Amino acid sequence: MSTPLTGLPTLQVDWQTLLTVNLPALMLVVIGVPLVLAAYIVGADILVRRLPKRSQVSVRPWVWVGPAIVIVGVILVYPMFGTIFRSLFDRHGSTFVGLGNFTRLLTDGGILIVLRNNLLWLLLYPGLVLIFGLLLAVLADRVPYEKPVKSLIFMPLAISFVAMAIIWQFMYYYRPPDVAQTGTLNAIVVNLFHGQPQTWVQDTRYNNFALIFIGVWGATGFAMVILSAALKGIPGELLEAARVDGANELTVFRRIILPLMMPTIVVVGTTMVIFALKAFDVVYVMTAGNYNTDILARRMYAELYSAGNNANASTLAVILLLAVVPVLIFNLRQFRAVESRR
Amino acid sequence: MSVVVTTPVPTPTTSAPARRPKVRTERLSARASNAGLQVAVIALTLAWTVPTLGLLINSFRSGGAFNTSGWWTALAPPFKFTLDSYRHVLGASDLAPSFFNSFMITIPATIIPTAIAAFAAYAFSWMKFWGRDWIFLALVGLLAVPLQLTFIPLLTLAVHFGLTSGNTLPLGLNAGFLAIWIAHTGYGLPFSIYLLANFFRVLPQDLFESAEIDGAGPVTVFFRLILPLSVPAIASLVIFQFLWVWNDLLVALIYIGGTPEVAPLTVTLTNLVGSLGQNIQYLTAAAFVSMIVPLIVFFALQRYFVRGILAGSVKG
């Protein structure tokens, strides 16, 4: 009864290979990988113990941090400098062009829309996530069914951006005004408000907001959980005392809750800014960067794969890094401040 | 702490006759604001749940019904739910192999960084060595580096060492898997070390001292004391890394590209989005198949997960 799916890149399920080659490989990996890791640390320590007592103390730490430092060096640090280096050469990697790539890219009209969109993501995504997260943390704290509410709002965190994008395609689905709407949002617009159905994803007036909101929907639960924990850390007597003194709920929130939660809000906000800069999946799946919704991360991917232009791709990655630097410095300051209080 | 209703406290200066009605109106307004609160909470929760619920319902509807009416119409009788979409998607598409691929990528890409991060976090929190604080600080800084910055040099390296999905390693292992494990390990390490070091650091010091006096070496202390005491932190890290790798699209696209034999669910799903014009209803089932594993992990281990998030942020 199964009719073939139209337009599907069909690869018949090769159960034979799956069961005889891949499954044993997976089993081997599941058992073998932890064994190799344990053997490394035990074996290296036996070797260290053969050294004279004094050098044991100085060698041993490097046995423990060694693998992490080597991997981070190869996977993060080396490529970081490699990309910065590449951004200074032409697309064949042979001629040094200095900042030529940057000036050429930044004077190109197309990239300005990309930068504008990134700025929108950078402002709206952390802002809305914080507002909704804080609102939900404060409100859910006061109802008897707090747990299920929080679980449901937290749930999208377990869903991939690809699945989220599919979920929201059905929310934003457009059909002409003369037929029944099947998209949830347009059904509400048409049936409740007697409006015209909108092309949420294609209309350049608001499609960026539509995409950003998908991200907000996904991350709000994360912010809510952290902010809620901070909220519960505020001593109840403090709030009661203020209420006894006649402060209304809004004053209590503005004068006591908000200032005491500020450090946590800053941590969540910083995390969200980093997420906003790295945003890729939603735009990639929903619009592939069309209809003026492109962002740096997706454009870089396109330069790398569709255009095969390593110089442009590297330059875009460096622009992304430059945008992160202030956040990075802020992050480190925050971290050191917390460390010094320890 | 669950039901905090704002109980009005009468001010002592109010005279007796004026007092009674005032209290009553205040109580009434307190009840009204409580009702408002409940409405707000329920409305927000619904708004957050409806998108997923709509997709879930659509995934159990037949294609024809799906194309002509919204998912909410299926909630009224006569009920016509079917498993056709799931049968289709699991039987005829790439989804079954990519389900397997997702496990093949995610399990090692969770075990390796967690173990290596635990080793490093132990050294960072309980051993003294040259440059320790600066190296740790550099790791925290790397948390903010965009992954995109690493792709081109790493791809060049991967091609140089033959770690591309076109090659086969001993035991029939596709080389693309190894590349993606190493990549995810590198990307996951800064956060993992940060989280675990924060947790290890606050373990009671006298415990280790007495163990050392009893002649236990660092390996024994690590496996016998640190690991058992850190089960909550390690569990939350495992969930974190598992969800992050399972749901990842970008890293998979970069290192194994469009090769369907090694593509995880996210990549296959993205291809479906592009290719499934009229048969869009199968997409709903496909999305849910991809969500099953992370949702099970999430709901089963939610408590650890939340504790892990908090260990990394609020406590620090």
Side-chain angles (χ1 to χ4, degrees):
Chain A
M1 62 161 283
S2 68
T3 50
L5 301 180
T6 49
L8 198 77
T10 40
L11 171 97
Q12 278 303 313
V13 181
D14 187 356
W15 292 105
Q16 182 97 37
T17 328
L18 204 65
L19 294 176
T20 57
V21 180
N22 292 344
L23 202 61
L26 180 64
M27 302 298 273
L28 206 73
V29 159
V30 168
I31 300 163
V33 166
L35 276 182
V36 168
L37 291 163
Y40 161 76
I41 206 73
V42 173
D45 201 74
I46 291 171
L47 289 181
V48 168
R49 258 184 255 162
R50 295 206 167 167
L51 295 170
K53 258 269 183 294
R54 195 172 285 168
S55 32
Q56 278 189 25
V57 180
S58 56
V59 171
R60 185 170 278 128
W62 298 102
V63 166
W64 290 81
V65 287
I69 290 179
V70 168
I71 290 176
V72 166
V74 173
I75 303 295
L76 291 171
V77 180
Y78 155 75
M80 194 166 88
F81 290 108
T83 301
I84 296 173
F85 187 71
R86 266 162 233 248
S87 72
L88 304 174
F89 284 80
D90 73 346
R91 64 180 298 172
H92 309 291
S94 48
T95 320
F96 182 79
V97 293
L99 296 177
N101 287 325
F102 290 88
T103 49
R104 186 172 41 77
L105 260 179
L106 290 174
T107 47
D108 167 17
I111 206 75
L112 291 179
I113 290 174
V114 173
L115 290 177
R116 184 206 66 185
N117 294 343
N118 258 80
L119 197 66
L120 273 180
W121 273 88
L122 212 55
L123 295 175
L124 284 176
Y125 174 75
L128 290 174
V129 167
L130 277 179
I131 290 172
F132 280 115
L134 199 57
L135 191 70
L136 281 160
V138 173
L139 294 183
D141 193 41
R142 291 149 184 250
V143 293
Y145 37 88
E146 182 185 1
K147 280 228 168 99
V149 162
K150 282 165 97 179
S151 286
L152 283 173
I153 289 173
F154 197 38
M155 188 193 64
L157 203 68
I159 302 174
S160 68
F161 274 116
V162 181
M164 275 189 212
I166 293 169
I167 287 175
W168 282 86
Q169 273 195 349
F170 288 91
M171 290 296 286
Y172 291 148
Y173 203 73
Y174 168 84
R175 296 185 84 209
D178 50 324
V179 293
Q181 293 298 320
T182 57
T184 311
L185 215 57
N186 275 333
I188 293 173
V189 167
V190 171
N191 298 327
L192 289 184
F193 297 102
H194 305 289
Q196 289 291 309
Q198 302 291 316
T199 50
W200 301 102
V201 179
Q202 285 83 18
D203 197 312
T204 51
R205 280 172 300 172
Y206 41 67
N207 55 0
N208 277 299
F209 303 106
L211 296 191
I212 291 170
F213 192 78
I214 301 177
V216 172
W217 178 75
T220 295
F222 175 81
M224 175 198 65
V225 163
I226 297 176
L227 294 171
S228 167
L231 180 67
K232 289 188 196 303
I234 298 174
E237 308 91 68
L238 209 64
L239 305 178
E240 273 320 301
R243 285 177 189 136
V244 169
D245 286 347
N248 64 31
E249 283 308 300
L250 209 63
T251 317
V252 171
F253 178 75
R254 269 196 14 231
R255 292 295 187 72
I256 300 175
I257 296 180
L258 210 54
L260 283 175
M261 283 177 74
M262 232 356 140
T264 315
I265 293 176
V266 168
V267 169
V268 177
T270 316
T271 316
M272 290 304 132
V273 166
I274 294 170
F275 280 10
L277 282 167
K278 293 177 177 177
F280 167 82
D281 312 44
V282 168
V283 175
Y284 181 79
V285 180
M286 292 291 285
T287 64
N290 293 314
Y291 320 112
N292 287 349
T293 58
D294 215 357
I295 50 176
L296 275 174
R298 204 221 61 93
R299 180 66 177 268
M300 189 224 152
Y301 177 84
E303 289 287 354
L304 189 60
Y305 273 83
S306 316
N309 191 333
N310 279 3
N312 271 357
S314 301
T315 308
L316 287 168
V318 173
I319 293 175
L320 210 56
L321 179 69
L322 290 176
V324 179
V325 166
V327 187
L328 200 142
I329 293 170
F330 182 76
N331 218 15
L332 287 180
R333 281 230 185 109
Q334 245 352 76
F335 176 72
R336 298 197 74 176
V338 171
E339 286 296 283
S340 62
R341 259 184 273 139
R342 231 174 215 158
Chain B
M1 198 61 192
S2 53
V3 202
V4 184
V5 184
T6 54
T7 38
V9 179
T11 42
T13 47
T14 348
S15 56
R19 197 169 150 182
R20 262 184 96 105
K22 196 174 179 221
V23 169
R24 188 172 295 159
T25 51
E26 273 183 16
R27 275 213 187 115
L28 271 177
S29 76
R31 204 172 298 155
S33 79
N34 190 35
L37 170 79
Q38 307 248 4
V39 168
V41 171
I42 291 169
L44 279 168
T45 312
L46 272 181
W48 248 256
T49 317
V50 155
T52 318
L53 189 72
L55 187 77
L56 181 67
I57 290 171
N58 267 341
S59 72
F60 288 109
R61 298 177 75 201
S62 70
F66 170 87
N67 280 328
T68 51
S69 59
W71 58 267
W72 51 90
T73 55
L75 294 177
F79 298 109
K80 281 191 218 142
F81 293 114
T82 160
L83 285 171
D84 276 359
S85 298
Y86 286 91
R87 244 177 254 138
H88 253 296
V89 150
L90 285 172
S93 72
D94 297 355
L95 226 58
S98 47
F99 199 75
F100 171 86
N101 289 339
S102 275
F103 274 111
M104 193 68 182
I105 289 169
T106 310
I107 294 174
T110 304
I111 298 173
I112 303 170
T114 308
I116 290 179
F119 297 160
Y122 176 49
F124 278 122
S125 39
W126 294 104
M127 293 177 190
K128 281 204 162 61
F129 56 95
W130 178 87
R132 181 183 77 168
D133 294 344
W134 285 105
I135 298 173
F136 193 71
L137 206 63
L139 273 174
V140 176
L142 285 172
L143 275 172
V145 171
L147 303 185
Q148 285 86 356
L149 210 67
T150 67
F151 291 157
I152 299 169
L154 281 187
L155 273 173
T156 317
L157 269 189
V159 171
H160 183 259
F161 287 105
L163 293 184
T164 52
S165 48
N167 292 335
T168 310
L169 296 175
L171 305 165
L173 184 75
N174 191 301
F177 285 132
L178 191 61
I180 204 166
W181 295 341
I182 299 172
H184 273 303
T185 301
Y187 298 144
L189 272 179
F191 176 75
S192 311
I193 295 174
Y194 177 60
L195 188 94
L196 288 183
N198 272 349
F199 198 89
F200 289 176
R201 219 178 285 192
V202 292
L203 293 172
Q205 189 164 6
D206 20 333
L207 211 63
F208 304 113
E209 277 164 6
S210 56
E212 253 171 67
I213 290 164
D214 290 345
V219 173
T220 319
V221 170
F222 180 77
F223 283 104
R224 290 287 186 78
L225 285 176
I226 302 250
L227 286 191
L229 285 174
S230 315
V231 166
I234 290 171
S236 66
L237 180 60
V238 165
I239 304 164
F240 239 119
Q241 183 75 12
F242 186 94
L243 289 180
W244 147 250
V245 177
W246 185 277
N247 288 334
D248 159 78
L249 170 68
L250 182 58
V251 178
L253 273 177
I254 293 285
Y255 292 98
I256 49 185
T259 319
E261 293 80 26
V262 285
L265 279 168
T266 45
V267 172
T268 310
L269 209 53
T270 310
N271 293 338
L272 286 180
V273 177
S275 62
L276 269 183
Q278 285 306 300
N279 284 320
I280 202 169
Q281 75 271 17
Y282 299 128
L283 206 54
T284 58
F288 264 96
V289 169
S290 83
M291 280 157 58
I292 289 168
V293 172
L295 282 180
I296 290 174
V297 169
F298 174 79
F299 279 113
L301 305 167
Q302 204 188 146
R303 208 180 332 145
Y304 286 121
F305 192 38
V306 170
R307 244 195 279 172
I309 294 179
L310 300 180
S313 59
V314 175
K315 213 171 74 188

